[in-house]
Each structure stands twice: as structure tokens, then as C-alpha cells.
Amino acid sequence: MPANLRINDQIKAFPAYCRKHGCTRPYHHFAFGQSPFPLPPCVIEALRSNASQHDYLPTAGLPDLRKAIAKHYRRHFGVKCTPDQVVVSPGSKEMIAMLLAVLRGPVVVPTPSWVSYLPQAKILRKKVIVLPTRWEDGFKVTPDGLARVLASESAPQKILILNHPHNPTGLVYSRRELQALSKACRRLGVIIISDEIYALTTFEETEFTSMMSVFPEGTVLTGGLSKDRSCGGYRCGVGILPKNPAALIRDVLKVAGATYSCVAAPIQYAALEAYSGSDEVESHMRDCARLNEVVGRITASLLSNIPGVRCTFPQAGFYVFVDFNELRDDFLRLRLRTSELFVEHLLRVEHTALLAGSALLLPDDYFCARCSFVDYDGQAALAHWRASRPTTSEEEEAFVREHCPLIVEGVANLARYLEQVRAGKRPKHVA
Ligand SMILES: Cc1ncc(COP(=O)(O)O)c(C=O)c1O
């Protein structure tokens, strides 16, 4: 079972076990990556008023929705696409799987990585080329790194999965970095699946550049409603495919038609509202991104204050990548030999869940983890935020302490655990 699913199962099972033994200490869930925020109310209303829509829709999606999506990508990111390049899918995950099914060539998966690319490529029996990225490069794929892993690859076409903004680091490529990478891709015969599901969670929207605006002929862009509009369970994703080769859209639609027919009709009508560009939707996304920025920044600074810990300072998304390798010898002395053993032990003794580096495709003994900063009541926090926005850094910290207490406590739990580890003591369950 993948580590992310195992830790989720443990988080469900442990509290019941603990209660049975008289322990009522709360759990702190930093392992799961779901938007903490509510949906824009107009999207809920659109879903409600379209509950009676029951016809099958065109496989590529409702024509008006495809139009609205093309407009959305032009408006926000300057992507010059037309509605016939848009395909609506049940989540961007499904779109990525379909693209991997129809695109020829080996798949380059940069690490650290989102958990699902590798299993998808394996199910489809694709050749996978793992491309480790480095802390010094901001965990970005560089032209040199790409050329190095493809040096002995003879396939005429290769696929690079680029995730930007990036899960798990929260980092964003600059336009210049994307331009350099696109140049290398043209030279090396690489087509990019650019997973931009977190695009509009970018704290400063202007910092985000879509790969498709830089490399339109060689990029397939994937996105959807799950993160910036908090509609993960609606299962509505999109693919923006290049105009050529035309066979690509045809092949994707063949897979879509043969597997899911179309995305649920009421969801597509609700998505029409979510992609309308209305002030309500746009300001909702901006508010969520701003609040998320503050929670992310404070989580990262609390984490980086722990001796032996370094972490990324995210520019988007819900995640901080945390590196514990300075404490490697201490972990090994305590027979905590892998990142997975460490996070499982942390969960048992401190009720604090992280996602181990091994789930991000990093070596088992590389001591790192992903920390999701979403364990708080996003609806209540957003309402307080709108009522009185903190303006100074002291007010922001006070806001997070008051409205996201499990995050602050969870980091304190981790700090206490690591203090023991540094002292050479195996941490014990704190009741
Ligand atoms: C990097 C990344 N890509 C894609 C997805 C899938 O999103 P969707 O809900 O659109 O399938 C996720 C969800 O966690 C993600 O983190």
C-alpha cells in the first residue's frame, strides 16, 4: 500500500485506539493535501440548481464550459487556446493518466514528486526515468539535469511531467526558468505534461507563468477546480492540448469516451459558474490564496526555527518540504532507519502526521517529509480574515495562533520529538 494511504489509514485508526487506552490528546494531520477552504457559494448554488441535468454531455465537455475554460486560461495566464483544445475530465489526475496512455515515449518523473505520477506510469507499463532535483536548484528541473537523464535515451519522443507550482515544495518556476527548459525540450524531443493544478493558489498571482504560454507547441496543460476553488470532490479537471498533432485530442477523446463518457452533467454546469470569471469567484480565490500565504509562511518559519530542520518557503499550494538530514545520525542511532519509520513513530508518540519522503519518490533513508498546512477550519478562518485582515507580521502570527491552533501545536510536537532525538533518547508517547 502506498505510504500516503497507509498514513491516512493510521490517522483514522489511531485516535480510536488511543481513546480506548484513555488518551484524548488531539491528532495533527499534516499528511493530507486538501484545500481547507469552502467553495465559492455561487458554485454550490449552480450545482443545486442544476441537479436535474441528467443527459449525457459531449465527451470533451459542455461547449459553453470549454469556451469559458479557454477564456479563463487566456485571462489569467495569457495562454492562447481555443475551446476545441479543451477537454473536461473527472479530475486532472484522470487527464494525466489519459495523456500518459496516449503519448508515446518514456516518462521523466522529477523527484521529489507528487505521489500519483509513478503508479500511473507503471500501470500503463511506461518506461520511467527518475530525475532527482536538488535543494540548490530550488527542486527545479534544469536543462542540464534533463539532458543528463536523457543522454542515452533513443526514443524519438520523451514525456516530462512538470509540476508547477510544485507539490511537495510549494515552489514556482520563473518565466526565465521555463524558457530555458522549453529550449532544452525542443532540442531533446520532449513533450511536457504541465500539471498546473495549483496555478491560482500562487500567493502572488503575477509570479506564476504557465508553461503553455512559453512552449505552446510542446505542452499539454492540466488543471481543474480541486485546489484554488476547493472542489476536489467534484472531480472536475481539464486538459488544454496543443493544436498539433490533431491526433492527440482525438486519442484522448477515444480513451475518455471508452472509459467515463463525460463528466457528470450537474458538475459541468457548476463548473461553468466556477470558470465564469465572476467577481465572487475571483475574489474568493484571491482571499484564499492570501490567507494560505500567511499560514504557509508562518508554518515554514516555525519549522525552520527547529534546530536540525530546514524547509522550503512556499510560493503556492498547501505544502512545505521539510528536510531532517542534519539529524540523520541521531535517527540511525535510535534505529529509525527510514523516513517512513520516523513519521510512523512521530505519529504514534506525538500524534502528528507528516508524509514521508519515500512517498515522494525519494530514497527511503533520505530523512525528509511533506508537511501540509491545512489542518484548520478554513471556513471559520476565512470569515475572520475577511472581517479583519491582519496587516503586520505580529498580527499575522497572532491570527495563525488563534485560528490554526492545531498547526502551531503540531509543529511544537515535532520540535519536542526532535529535541529528544538530538539528545539520543527514543521519544515516548505523550498522553
Ligand atoms: C500535484 C497534483 N496534481 C494533480 C492532483 C490531482 O488533482 P485532481 O483533483 O484535479 O485530480 C493533485 C491532487 O492532490 C496534486 O497534488
Side-chain angles (χ1 to χ4, degrees):
M1 182 192 288
N4 61 324
L5 299 185
R6 188 164 50 245
I7 197 118
N8 273 320
D9 282 355
Q10 288 170 342
I11 285 164
K12 283 183 204 137
F14 281 12
Y17 174 85
C18 253
R19 269 196 305 276
K20 227 164 89 188
H21 292 81
C23 169
T24 54
R25 229 180 126 210
Y27 276 78
H28 303 76
H29 198 343
F30 293 160
F32 195 46
Q34 172 163 286
S35 166
F37 302 115
L39 288 80
C42 58
V43 176
I44 303 176
E45 191 41 48
L47 181 61
R48 189 175 289 129
S49 57
N50 281 288
S52 61
Q53 301 281 356
H54 59 101
D55 286 346
Y56 284 103
L57 296 179
T59 298
L62 202 56
D64 282 350
L65 177 57
R66 296 171 78 199
K67 238 189 255 169
I69 292 169
K71 217 165 143 192
H72 168 95
Y73 277 94
R74 272 201 304 276
R75 184 172 63 245
H76 278 288
F77 313 120
V79 170
K80 293 191 187 86
C81 62
T82 51
D84 56 319
Q85 290 175 260
V86 176
V87 177
V88 182
S89 60
S92 64
K93 188 188 250 185
E94 178 67 25
M95 178 57 64
I96 295 166
M98 290 197 295
L99 291 167
L100 290 176
V102 302
L103 287 169
R104 280 191 315 273
V107 189
V108 178
V109 180
T111 61
S113 161
W114 178 48
V115 291
S116 293
Y117 304 131
L118 184 71
Q120 287 191 347
K122 280 192 168 165
I123 289 166
L124 293 162
R125 300 186 203 290
K126 303 284 285 183
K127 176 175 176 187
V128 173
I129 301 167
V130 172
L131 166 50
T133 62
R134 305 185 314 160
W135 185 280
E136 306 79 82
D137 297 325
F139 297 105
K140 294 188 182 143
V141 178
T142 62
D144 285 352
L146 185 61
R148 200 163 33 244
V149 291
L150 293 179
S152 56
E153 189 49 62
S154 58
Q157 176 176 282
K158 302 94 180 166
I159 307 161
L160 166 66
I161 302 187
L162 186 76
N163 177 213
H164 151 66
H166 187 232
N167 171 3
T169 63
L171 300 178
V172 169
Y173 286 70
S174 68
R175 176 172 286 273
R176 192 188 286 248
E177 287 164 339
L178 294 177
Q179 281 165 339
L181 193 55
S182 67
K183 233 168 149 182
C185 288
R186 279 190 193 101
R187 185 166 46 82
L188 297 164
V190 174
I191 184 160
I192 297 180
I193 297 177
S194 190
D195 175 353
E196 301 181 6
I197 189 75
Y198 291 96
L200 286 176
T201 67
T202 307
F203 306 152
E204 279 302 329
E205 193 181 332
T206 49
E207 281 182 2
F208 179 80
T209 302
S210 171
M211 188 47 146
M212 201 162 201
S213 69
V214 170
F215 186 33
E217 75 280 18
T219 300
V220 191
L221 189 166
T222 63
L225 296 178
S226 296
K227 309 298 175 183
D228 51 38
R229 277 149 287 181
S230 311
C231 300
Y234 276 31
R235 307 311 300 134
C236 187
V238 304
I240 316 277
L241 283 66
K243 279 197 186 289
N244 291 306
L248 181 56
I249 298 195
R250 220 175 35 234
D251 290 349
V252 165
L253 290 178
K254 261 190 218 159
V255 180
T259 52
Y260 62 82
S261 301
C262 67
V263 169
I267 293 297
Q268 293 207 41
Y269 283 97
L272 203 47
E273 181 62 37
Y275 278 108
S276 65
S278 69
D279 287 348
E280 182 179 337
V281 173
E282 298 293 316
S283 67
H284 184 91
M285 284 195 288
R286 282 294 87 209
D287 284 352
C288 293
R290 286 276 140 72
L291 168 50
N292 201 32
E293 170 182 15
V294 169
V295 181
R297 183 164 12 92
I298 289 175
T299 307
S301 66
L302 291 172
L303 284 166
S304 61
N305 282 340
I306 303 174
V309 170
R310 64 174 174 165
C311 72
T312 54
F313 275 71
Q315 297 162 277
F318 310 131
Y319 316 104
V320 176
F321 179 79
V322 198
D323 187 320
F324 303 96
N325 283 298
E326 211 183 300
L327 306 176
R328 183 189 170 74
D329 291 343
D330 301 317
F331 282 122
L332 295 177
R333 256 195 302 279
L334 297 172
R335 296 191 309 285
L336 294 165
R337 294 195 188 90
T338 65
S339 62
E340 209 177 321
L341 285 173
F342 153 51
V343 300
E344 284 191 19
H345 191 239
L346 175 70
L347 178 60
R348 260 174 224 286
V349 307
E350 283 289 357
H351 290 197
T352 298
L354 295 171
L355 186 65
S358 49
L360 313 170
L361 302 194
L362 292 171
D364 290 348
D365 62 348
Y366 188 85
F367 287 90
C368 64
R370 187 189 75 182
C371 170
S372 309
F373 47 89
V374 295
D375 194 2
Y376 63 97
D377 180 345
Q379 178 139 11
L382 190 62
H384 284 286
W385 175 269
R386 284 175 170 150
S388 110
R389 243 164 240 236
T391 50
T392 63
S393 50
E394 290 78 18
E395 283 173 7
E396 286 175 350
E397 184 163 346
F399 184 94
V400 171
R401 287 189 184 279
E402 183 175 351
H403 299 290
C404 316
L406 286 177
I407 292 186
V408 179
E409 281 169 27
V411 177
N413 292 347
L414 175 65
R416 178 171 48 211
Y417 179 97
L418 295 176
E419 197 181 325
Q420 300 278 303
V421 169
R422 282 195 310 276
K425 297 183 195 145
R426 197 172 165 94
K428 296 244 165 44
H429 179 257
V430 183

PDB file of all heavy atoms in Angstrom, residues 269-288:
ATOM      1  N   TYR A 269     -22.217  21.987 -15.133  1.00  0.00           N
ATOM      2  CA  TYR A 269     -22.940  23.270 -15.043  1.00  0.00           C
ATOM      3  C   TYR A 269     -22.408  24.101 -13.874  1.00  0.00           C
ATOM      4  O   TYR A 269     -22.289  25.320 -13.973  1.00  0.00           O
ATOM      5  CB  TYR A 269     -24.449  23.036 -14.928  1.00  0.00           C
ATOM      6  CG  TYR A 269     -25.043  22.663 -16.274  1.00  0.00           C
ATOM      7  CD1 TYR A 269     -25.261  21.339 -16.622  1.00  0.00           C
ATOM      8  CD2 TYR A 269     -25.339  23.649 -17.220  1.00  0.00           C
ATOM      9  CE1 TYR A 269     -25.770  21.002 -17.868  1.00  0.00           C
ATOM     10  CE2 TYR A 269     -25.844  23.322 -18.474  1.00  0.00           C
ATOM     11  CZ  TYR A 269     -26.063  21.988 -18.796  1.00  0.00           C
ATOM     12  OH  TYR A 269     -26.550  21.676 -20.027  1.00  0.00           O
ATOM     13  N   ALA A 270     -22.072  23.437 -12.786  1.00  0.00           N
ATOM     14  CA  ALA A 270     -21.473  24.174 -11.659  1.00  0.00           C
ATOM     15  C   ALA A 270     -20.105  24.717 -12.066  1.00  0.00           C
ATOM     16  O   ALA A 270     -19.731  25.843 -11.707  1.00  0.00           O
ATOM     17  CB  ALA A 270     -21.340  23.248 -10.445  1.00  0.00           C
ATOM     18  N   ALA A 271     -19.370  23.929 -12.859  1.00  0.00           N
ATOM     19  CA  ALA A 271     -18.035  24.362 -13.307  1.00  0.00           C
ATOM     20  C   ALA A 271     -18.137  25.607 -14.199  1.00  0.00           C
ATOM     21  O   ALA A 271     -17.251  26.467 -14.186  1.00  0.00           O
ATOM     22  CB  ALA A 271     -17.340  23.229 -14.051  1.00  0.00           C
ATOM     23  N   LEU A 272     -19.236  25.684 -14.921  1.00  0.00           N
ATOM     24  CA  LEU A 272     -19.458  26.870 -15.764  1.00  0.00           C
ATOM     25  C   LEU A 272     -19.430  28.128 -14.897  1.00  0.00           C
ATOM     26  O   LEU A 272     -18.849  29.155 -15.267  1.00  0.00           O
ATOM     27  CB  LEU A 272     -20.832  26.701 -16.424  1.00  0.00           C
ATOM     28  CG  LEU A 272     -21.158  27.420 -17.713  1.00  0.00           C
ATOM     29  CD1 LEU A 272     -20.062  27.274 -18.739  1.00  0.00           C
ATOM     30  CD2 LEU A 272     -22.480  26.871 -18.277  1.00  0.00           C
ATOM     31  N   GLU A 273     -20.029  28.028 -13.730  1.00  0.00           N
ATOM     32  CA  GLU A 273     -20.009  29.161 -12.791  1.00  0.00           C
ATOM     33  C   GLU A 273     -18.576  29.362 -12.248  1.00  0.00           C
ATOM     34  O   GLU A 273     -18.087  30.488 -12.160  1.00  0.00           O
ATOM     35  CB  GLU A 273     -20.988  28.881 -11.631  1.00  0.00           C
ATOM     36  CG  GLU A 273     -21.069  29.980 -10.602  1.00  0.00           C
ATOM     37  CD  GLU A 273     -21.576  31.303 -11.175  1.00  0.00           C
ATOM     38  OE1 GLU A 273     -22.469  31.276 -12.046  1.00  0.00           O
ATOM     39  OE2 GLU A 273     -21.049  32.365 -10.750  1.00  0.00           O
ATOM     40  N   ALA A 274     -17.925  28.244 -11.923  1.00  0.00           N
ATOM     41  CA  ALA A 274     -16.578  28.347 -11.339  1.00  0.00           C
ATOM     42  C   ALA A 274     -15.574  28.939 -12.327  1.00  0.00           C
ATOM     43  O   ALA A 274     -14.572  29.521 -11.927  1.00  0.00           O
ATOM     44  CB  ALA A 274     -16.121  26.966 -10.869  1.00  0.00           C
ATOM     45  N   TYR A 275     -15.827  28.762 -13.610  1.00  0.00           N
ATOM     46  CA  TYR A 275     -14.922  29.324 -14.633  1.00  0.00           C
ATOM     47  C   TYR A 275     -15.462  30.626 -15.233  1.00  0.00           C
ATOM     48  O   TYR A 275     -14.938  31.105 -16.234  1.00  0.00           O
ATOM     49  CB  TYR A 275     -14.704  28.309 -15.766  1.00  0.00           C
ATOM     50  CG  TYR A 275     -13.657  27.270 -15.437  1.00  0.00           C
ATOM     51  CD1 TYR A 275     -14.008  25.950 -15.172  1.00  0.00           C
ATOM     52  CD2 TYR A 275     -12.301  27.604 -15.379  1.00  0.00           C
ATOM     53  CE1 TYR A 275     -13.049  24.986 -14.868  1.00  0.00           C
ATOM     54  CE2 TYR A 275     -11.340  26.654 -15.072  1.00  0.00           C
ATOM     55  CZ  TYR A 275     -11.715  25.347 -14.813  1.00  0.00           C
ATOM     56  OH  TYR A 275     -10.759  24.415 -14.502  1.00  0.00           O
ATOM     57  N   SER A 276     -16.511  31.193 -14.616  1.00  0.00           N
ATOM     58  CA  SER A 276     -17.174  32.357 -15.230  1.00  0.00           C
ATOM     59  C   SER A 276     -16.314  33.622 -15.149  1.00  0.00           C
ATOM     60  O   SER A 276     -16.546  34.573 -15.881  1.00  0.00           O
ATOM     61  CB  SER A 276     -18.507  32.615 -14.527  1.00  0.00           C
ATOM     62  OG  SER A 276     -18.228  32.997 -13.183  1.00  0.00           O
ATOM     63  N   GLY A 277     -15.365  33.644 -14.222  1.00  0.00           N
ATOM     64  CA  GLY A 277     -14.576  34.872 -14.034  1.00  0.00           C
ATOM     65  C   GLY A 277     -15.352  35.922 -13.257  1.00  0.00           C
ATOM     66  O   GLY A 277     -14.964  37.097 -13.226  1.00  0.00           O
ATOM     67  N   SER A 278     -16.448  35.499 -12.596  1.00  0.00           N
ATOM     68  CA  SER A 278     -17.251  36.472 -11.836  1.00  0.00           C
ATOM     69  C   SER A 278     -16.418  37.034 -10.682  1.00  0.00           C
ATOM     70  O   SER A 278     -15.484  36.380 -10.193  1.00  0.00           O
ATOM     71  CB  SER A 278     -18.508  35.796 -11.276  1.00  0.00           C
ATOM     72  OG  SER A 278     -18.142  34.878 -10.267  1.00  0.00           O
ATOM     73  N   ASP A 279     -16.785  38.239 -10.236  1.00  0.00           N
ATOM     74  CA  ASP A 279     -16.062  38.859  -9.118  1.00  0.00           C
ATOM     75  C   ASP A 279     -16.092  37.956  -7.897  1.00  0.00           C
ATOM     76  O   ASP A 279     -15.106  37.861  -7.162  1.00  0.00           O
ATOM     77  CB  ASP A 279     -16.714  40.200  -8.749  1.00  0.00           C
ATOM     78  CG  ASP A 279     -16.406  41.247  -9.802  1.00  0.00           C
ATOM     79  OD1 ASP A 279     -15.526  40.977 -10.651  1.00  0.00           O
ATOM     80  OD2 ASP A 279     -17.064  42.308  -9.796  1.00  0.00           O
ATOM     81  N   GLU A 280     -17.235  37.283  -7.695  1.00  0.00           N
ATOM     82  CA  GLU A 280     -17.348  36.446  -6.493  1.00  0.00           C
ATOM     83  C   GLU A 280     -16.302  35.322  -6.515  1.00  0.00           C
ATOM     84  O   GLU A 280     -15.600  35.101  -5.522  1.00  0.00           O
ATOM     85  CB  GLU A 280     -18.769  35.851  -6.386  1.00  0.00           C
ATOM     86  CG  GLU A 280     -18.920  35.023  -5.120  1.00  0.00           C
ATOM     87  CD  GLU A 280     -20.302  34.422  -4.935  1.00  0.00           C
ATOM     88  OE1 GLU A 280     -21.287  34.946  -5.507  1.00  0.00           O
ATOM     89  OE2 GLU A 280     -20.385  33.419  -4.203  1.00  0.00           O
ATOM     90  N   VAL A 281     -16.203  34.649  -7.657  1.00  0.00           N
ATOM     91  CA  VAL A 281     -15.246  33.527  -7.734  1.00  0.00           C
ATOM     92  C   VAL A 281     -13.812  34.052  -7.649  1.00  0.00           C
ATOM     93  O   VAL A 281     -12.974  33.520  -6.907  1.00  0.00           O
ATOM     94  CB  VAL A 281     -15.448  32.724  -9.042  1.00  0.00           C
ATOM     95  CG1 VAL A 281     -14.356  31.675  -9.200  1.00  0.00           C
ATOM     96  CG2 VAL A 281     -16.821  32.064  -9.061  1.00  0.00           C
ATOM     97  N   GLU A 282     -13.540  35.113  -8.393  1.00  0.00           N
ATOM     98  CA  GLU A 282     -12.162  35.610  -8.439  1.00  0.00           C
ATOM     99  C   GLU A 282     -11.713  36.130  -7.072  1.00  0.00           C
ATOM    100  O   GLU A 282     -10.598  35.863  -6.627  1.00  0.00           O
ATOM    101  CB  GLU A 282     -12.023  36.722  -9.500  1.00  0.00           C
ATOM    102  CG  GLU A 282     -12.317  36.260 -10.919  1.00  0.00           C
ATOM    103  CD  GLU A 282     -11.298  35.270 -11.478  1.00  0.00           C
ATOM    104  OE1 GLU A 282     -10.097  35.491 -11.290  1.00  0.00           O
ATOM    105  OE2 GLU A 282     -11.724  34.269 -12.101  1.00  0.00           O
ATOM    106  N   SER A 283     -12.598  36.881  -6.382  1.00  0.00           N
ATOM    107  CA  SER A 283     -12.153  37.414  -5.093  1.00  0.00           C
ATOM    108  C   SER A 283     -12.082  36.299  -4.044  1.00  0.00           C
ATOM    109  O   SER A 283     -11.230  36.337  -3.155  1.00  0.00           O
ATOM    110  CB  SER A 283     -13.016  38.589  -4.640  1.00  0.00           C
ATOM    111  OG  SER A 283     -14.297  38.134  -4.352  1.00  0.00           O
ATOM    112  N   HIS A 284     -12.917  35.280  -4.199  1.00  0.00           N
ATOM    113  CA  HIS A 284     -12.827  34.122  -3.294  1.00  0.00           C
ATOM    114  C   HIS A 284     -11.446  33.476  -3.433  1.00  0.00           C
ATOM    115  O   HIS A 284     -10.767  33.209  -2.438  1.00  0.00           O
ATOM    116  CB  HIS A 284     -13.933  33.117  -3.645  1.00  0.00           C
ATOM    117  CG  HIS A 284     -13.995  31.947  -2.725  1.00  0.00           C
ATOM    118  ND1 HIS A 284     -14.783  31.936  -1.588  1.00  0.00           N
ATOM    119  CD2 HIS A 284     -13.356  30.754  -2.740  1.00  0.00           C
ATOM    120  CE1 HIS A 284     -14.627  30.783  -0.966  1.00  0.00           C
ATOM    121  NE2 HIS A 284     -13.769  30.046  -1.643  1.00  0.00           N
ATOM    122  N   MET A 285     -11.032  33.263  -4.670  1.00  0.00           N
ATOM    123  CA  MET A 285      -9.723  32.615  -4.883  1.00  0.00           C
ATOM    124  C   MET A 285      -8.590  33.476  -4.319  1.00  0.00           C
ATOM    125  O   MET A 285      -7.642  32.974  -3.731  1.00  0.00           O
ATOM    126  CB  MET A 285      -9.485  32.378  -6.379  1.00  0.00           C
ATOM    127  CG  MET A 285     -10.270  31.220  -6.910  1.00  0.00           C
ATOM    128  SD  MET A 285      -9.677  30.681  -8.528  1.00  0.00           S
ATOM    129  CE  MET A 285     -10.206  31.983  -9.599  1.00  0.00           C
ATOM    130  N   ARG A 286      -8.685  34.791  -4.533  1.00  0.00           N
ATOM    131  CA  ARG A 286      -7.624  35.692  -4.047  1.00  0.00           C
ATOM    132  C   ARG A 286      -7.560  35.671  -2.521  1.00  0.00           C
ATOM    133  O   ARG A 286      -6.495  35.609  -1.917  1.00  0.00           O
ATOM    134  CB  ARG A 286      -7.859  37.143  -4.527  1.00  0.00           C
ATOM    135  CG  ARG A 286      -7.495  37.462  -5.955  1.00  0.00           C
ATOM    136  CD  ARG A 286      -5.994  37.373  -6.226  1.00  0.00           C
ATOM    137  NE  ARG A 286      -5.599  36.024  -6.587  1.00  0.00           N
ATOM    138  CZ  ARG A 286      -4.421  35.461  -6.374  1.00  0.00           C
ATOM    139  NH1 ARG A 286      -3.480  36.118  -5.788  1.00  0.00           N
ATOM    140  NH2 ARG A 286      -4.152  34.249  -6.727  1.00  0.00           N
ATOM    141  N   ASP A 287      -8.745  35.734  -1.880  1.00  0.00           N
ATOM    142  CA  ASP A 287      -8.771  35.717  -0.408  1.00  0.00           C
ATOM    143  C   ASP A 287      -8.146  34.426   0.118  1.00  0.00           C
ATOM    144  O   ASP A 287      -7.355  34.446   1.067  1.00  0.00           O
ATOM    145  CB  ASP A 287     -10.217  35.812   0.109  1.00  0.00           C
ATOM    146  CG  ASP A 287     -10.769  37.227  -0.008  1.00  0.00           C
ATOM    147  OD1 ASP A 287      -9.997  38.154  -0.335  1.00  0.00           O
ATOM    148  OD2 ASP A 287     -11.989  37.401   0.223  1.00  0.00           O
ATOM    149  N   CYS A 288      -8.539  33.300  -0.512  1.00  0.00           N
ATOM    150  CA  CYS A 288      -7.997  32.007  -0.044  1.00  0.00           C
ATOM    151  C   CYS A 288      -6.478  31.990  -0.226  1.00  0.00           C
ATOM    152  O   CYS A 288      -5.745  31.543   0.665  1.00  0.00           O
ATOM    153  CB  CYS A 288      -8.618  30.841  -0.824  1.00  0.00           C
ATOM    154  SG  CYS A 288     -10.363  30.617  -0.490  1.00  0.00           S
TER     155      CYS A 288
END
